[in-house]
Amino acid sequence: MQFFISDVLAADQQPAAAATGADATGQPYELSSEKMMQDNLLVLGLLFFIFYFILIRPQQKRLKMQKDMMKGLEKGNKVMTSGGIIGVIAKLEGDDIVVLEIAQGVKIRVAKSAISEVVTDKGAPGESANDN
């Protein structure tokens, strides 16, 4: 208890300049509107760069990869739709329709944008050992 009281008394005996927010030269620290604006712009700029490198840039890369995959689709590719249907491209109808053969003699038409990925033959999901 004695230690706490002595610290409080020592703080009360410090010069008045420290209590008023003055710096070491005795000049008061002025917080002008220009300084506040610069600080706010700096923080906003920093936040923008953080969002750009964490959110925006990776999303743009994913979209570019998806576009490249869409452009590279051709007859005979094995693909999976966003609904989970796996099939082989039998025909491309125009720029936005694909005919998939999901089983022998069973063909469906899907939007090209519904194709989520090109499936490779090794360990493709949804395939069993009995598929011919």
Side-chain angles (χ1 to χ4, degrees), residues 17-49:
T20 60
D23 60 6
T25 62
Q27 296 293 330
Y29 178 72
E30 291 186 30
L31 192 58
S32 65
S33 61
E34 292 85 17
K35 175 69 174 150
M36 288 179 8
M37 180 68 83
Q38 288 174 352
D39 291 347
N40 287 340
L41 287 176
L42 179 67
V43 169
L44 285 174
L46 183 64
L47 285 175
F48 173 76
F49 282 114

Side-chain angles (χ1 to χ4, degrees), residues 66 69-70 73 82 95-98 110-116:
Q66 181 76 8
M69 189 261 312
M70 291 288 181
L73 290 177
S82 58
D95 290 338
D96 52 348
I97 302 291
V98 176
V110 296
K112 198 174 192 179
S113 61
I115 296 176
S116 60

